């Protein structure tokens, strides 16, 4: 068999060797008894859930985490059946029956969810693995402290009836990416109080957890029994305030690349792309890169996004269109087919996802997650 050549128009290269190294780095940050949940929600932040999940498990992750039940069920369908998988974003009518049959750990934040879990357990004849989520101050999903005693009591009753097993107690931090933010200590205090109540009432969880990527890296007091690294696993710093990827010992996993489709010489005063927000100051050369906002290139980075072409970092000239953008090559004339690197690890002088986040006034999480399905993933180090 011959190996399929990488796509020329565009591709996202996913370095699974870098991902495995990042997981090992994160595991080294926690005590030996603390388990690591590799978060692969949103198709592993755009990197490919199944392959990244397998690579993370190879590197020592103990659990997998997703947002939706459909993401978790897809992992099971792909043959990942021998590790715990947790999913936390449920809505009424979601596939609780399939979740029970697949042995998923299903998050419960309120009485409606517990009621649906109980009914699903009766229908399937199984025992649902549930984790009770506490809202310790983030204000999104999770049970408020005032409602916690009722939820804990009802969960213990369902456990006594053989319908559920309470496998975890958990929460999520709001500002762990802001060092010394007062909400961090406040949330940990509330979490400990809610843990204490549940355990005194009789809950015996397998895991207690609250630590996301920044907390995994910087807050050992938040590690409890398990940590849930997400963005850090993909080699991206959770926040510039915590340090760069390199300073944190992480290597970016995704590189977004395209090929220059056309190079042409144009005169001074030539408008470029929609609206003519860019007009050439002198005679120059323009390079066309066949990637646009339909592929996940932020339109908000028009006129600002950095791209490495021919060994030089250029800036997008004019607006990003749906399928393409233009760079001013300053008179250089690279051949059609020359590689254009939007972002990568930075080791070769190319921009990083963090650079694109600055250009688009967003966060690097969004930059990698938004890369669309039209861009094929090419896996390295598999």
């Amino acid at each position: 068999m011959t190996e399929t050549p990488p796509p020329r128009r565009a591709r996202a290269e996913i370095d699974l060797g870098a991902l495995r190294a990042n997981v090992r780095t994160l595991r080294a940050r926690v005590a030996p008894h603390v388990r690591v949940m590799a978060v692969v929600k949103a198709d592993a932040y755009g990197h490919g859930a199944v392959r990244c999940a397998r690579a993370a498990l190879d590197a020592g992750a103990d659990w997998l985490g997703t947002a939706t039940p459909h993401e978790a069920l897809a992992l099971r369908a792909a043959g990942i059946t021998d590790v715990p998988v947790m999913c936390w974003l449920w809505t009424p009518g979601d596939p609780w029956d399939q979740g029970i049959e697949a042995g998923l750990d299903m998050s419960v934040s309120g009485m409606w969810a517990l009621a649906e879990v109980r009914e699903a357990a009766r229908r399937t004849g199984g025992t649902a693995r549930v984790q009770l989520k506490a809202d310790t101050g983030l204000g999104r999903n999770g049970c408020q402290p005032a409602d916690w005693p009722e939820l804990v009591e009802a969960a213990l009753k369902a456990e006594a009836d053989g319908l559920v097993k309470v496998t975890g107690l958990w929460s999520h931090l709001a500002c762990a990416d802001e060092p010394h933010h007062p909400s961090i200590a406040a949330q940990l205090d509330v979490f400990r109080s809610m843990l204490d109540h549940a355990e005194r009432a009789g809950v015996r969880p397998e895991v207690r957890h609250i630590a996301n990527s920044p907390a995994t890296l910087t807050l050992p007091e938040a590690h409890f029994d398990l940590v849930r690294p997400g963005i850090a696993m993909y080699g991206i710093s959770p926040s510039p305030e915590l340090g760069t990827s390199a300073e944190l010992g992480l290597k970016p996993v995704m590189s977004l690349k395209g090929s220059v489709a056309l190079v042409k010489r144009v005169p001074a005063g030539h408008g470029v792309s929609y609206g003519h927000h860019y007009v050439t100051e002198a005679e120059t050369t323009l390079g066309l890169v066949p990637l646009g906002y339909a592929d996940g290139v932020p339109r908000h980075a028009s006129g600002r996004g950095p791209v490495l072409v021919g060994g030089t970092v250029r800036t997008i000239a004019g607006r990003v269109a749906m399928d393409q953008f233009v760079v001013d090559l300053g008179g250089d004339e690279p051949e059609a087919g020359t590689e254009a690197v939007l972002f990568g690890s930075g080791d070769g002088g190319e921009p990083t996802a963090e650079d694109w986040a600055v250009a688009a006034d967003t966060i690097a999480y969004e930059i990698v997650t938004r890369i669309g399905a039209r861009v094929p993933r090419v896996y390295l180090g598999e």
Side-chain angles (χ1 to χ4, degrees):
M1 293 178 63
T2 59
E3 191 171 313
T4 302
R8 297 293 299 274
R9 181 190 76 86
R11 64 189 182 278
E13 294 181 353
I14 311 300
D15 185 348
L16 295 177
L19 188 144
R20 286 190 287 267
N22 293 335
V23 171
R24 294 186 188 103
T25 295
L26 292 161
R27 173 162 282 292
R29 293 287 189 118
V30 303
H33 74 277
V34 176
R35 282 164 275 188
V36 174
M37 176 188 290
V39 177
V40 293
K41 65 178 181 176
D43 199 29
Y45 293 58
H47 293 67
V50 172
R51 282 183 165 94
C52 289
R54 288 178 173 148
L57 294 170
D58 287 345
D62 309 286
W63 286 63
L64 298 173
T66 70
T68 72
H70 305 89
E71 293 171 332
L73 291 169
L75 295 176
R76 291 294 197 228
I80 302 175
T81 58
D82 56 348
V83 296
V85 177
M86 181 184 174
C87 49
W88 46 77
L89 195 57
W90 291 80
T91 54
D94 266 342
W96 302 98
D97 294 33
Q98 295 96 311
I100 294 170
E101 291 163 352
L104 303 181
D105 276 55
M106 302 177 291
S107 182
V108 168
S109 294
M111 295 298 289
W112 74 263
L114 186 60
E116 292 205 4
V117 167
R118 287 197 305 257
E119 289 307 309
R122 291 189 180 100
R123 284 193 300 271
T124 62
T127 300
R129 291 174 59 88
V130 301
Q131 297 205 22
L132 305 183
K133 184 175 185 184
D135 181 0
T136 56
L138 180 58
R140 298 191 318 193
N141 217 345
C143 181
Q144 279 281 296
D147 301 321
W148 187 246
E150 179 188 21
L151 182 63
V152 168
E153 181 181 0
L156 285 169
K157 173 64 167 59
E159 190 169 67
D161 292 340
L163 300 174
V164 310
K165 176 174 174 52
V166 181
T167 59
L169 301 169
W170 75 292
S171 189
H172 195 59
L173 292 165
C175 303
D177 55 349
E178 300 179 44
H180 313 297
H181 194 283
S183 70
I184 298 171
Q187 279 195 259
L188 289 175
D189 286 344
V190 173
F191 188 49
R192 292 186 187 99
S193 176
M194 295 174 81
L195 289 177
D196 182 61
H197 174 89
E199 291 170 352
R200 282 190 290 105
V203 176
R204 297 293 177 264
E206 296 174 15
V207 288
R208 304 160 303 157
H209 51 105
I210 193 172
N212 51 9
S213 283
T216 300
L217 289 163
T218 65
L219 296 171
E221 66 271 28
H223 290 174
F224 292 91
D225 305 309
L226 178 146
V227 295
R228 305 187 308 267
I231 195 67
M233 191 171 79
Y234 307 100
I236 293 174
S237 170
S239 166
E241 294 176 284
L242 300 180
T244 66
S245 297
E247 289 168 345
L248 295 170
L250 306 172
K251 181 176 180 180
V253 172
M254 180 189 289
S255 297
L256 180 61
K257 301 179 178 181
S259 294
V260 176
L262 176 70
V263 176
K264 61 185 177 184
R265 186 165 293 277
V266 299
H270 200 297
V272 178
S273 196
Y274 293 123
H276 282 186
H277 290 266
Y278 183 87
V279 177
T280 59
E281 294 181 355
E283 181 180 325
T284 189
T285 46
L286 301 177
L288 181 70
V289 180
L291 278 159
Y293 58 76
D295 303 295
V297 178
R299 187 174 183 272
H300 198 55
S302 296
R304 295 189 287 175
V307 186
L308 181 70
V309 180
T312 302
V313 176
R314 322 280 181 171
T315 301
I316 290 178
R319 283 184 177 165
V320 174
M322 184 179 290
D323 312 298
Q324 54 200 288
F325 64 81
V326 175
V327 293
D328 189 332
L329 297 169
D332 293 345
E333 297 187 17
E335 294 183 358
T338 295
E339 187 173 79
V341 184
L342 281 74
F343 61 80
S345 68
D347 292 346
E350 75 274 23
T352 64
E354 284 96 339
D355 294 326
W356 270 83
V358 171
D361 192 26
T362 185
I363 56 176
Y365 297 65
E366 183 181 355
I367 296 300
V368 293
T369 303
R370 68 184 293 149
I371 303 306
R374 193 165 72 169
V375 179
R377 273 58 172 173
V378 176
Y379 290 91
L380 311 177
E382 196 164 20

